[in-house]
Amino acid sequence: MQHAPWRLLRPGGTLITLPEPLDEAHRRPGITARGVVVAPDGGALHTIAALIDSGAVHVEVQSVLPLEEAAAAHRVSKEGRVRGKLVLGL
């Protein structure tokens, strides 16, 4: 993993990687790091896709915001005024 992700986090932040190994050489004080490993499960993905396709699963999206507005989305979320999901796009 490159050192750029470490620079993006403030003290108290958490870097989560999937599945790249953590580059400890660039670790910053006050940053927590966690690696996550997920086992592929084609059967579960097929079941989830079928539920979505059938309309049995619905996700309410409150708004789609550009990535540059991530801080604003976080503030709105912390205020508890979100009804549905806030989606960040590129």
Side-chain angles (χ1 to χ4, degrees):
M1 172 184 287
Q2 299 175 350
H3 64 278
W6 294 100
R7 291 193 325 250
L8 296 173
L9 295 168
R10 294 181 181 164
T14 301
L15 175 64
I16 298 176
T17 65
L18 176 80
E20 300 93 13
L22 298 170
D23 181 357
E24 298 290 334
H26 299 286
R27 181 186 286 269
R28 292 178 43 218
I31 304 295
T32 302
R34 302 272 188 263
V36 177
V37 177
V38 177
D41 186 341
L45 291 176
H46 179 75
T47 300
I48 292 167
L51 289 169
I52 292 169
D53 290 343
S54 73
V57 174
H58 173 75
V59 177
E60 184 175 343
V61 176
Q62 176 173 314
S63 59
V64 178
L65 304 166
L67 187 57
E68 294 81 23
E69 293 185 32
H74 185 71
R75 281 191 299 276
V76 169
S77 179
K78 283 182 77 170
E79 292 169 359
R81 296 184 294 129
V82 178
R83 186 168 181 91
K85 299 295 182 182
L86 297 174
V87 178
L88 297 175
L90 297 178

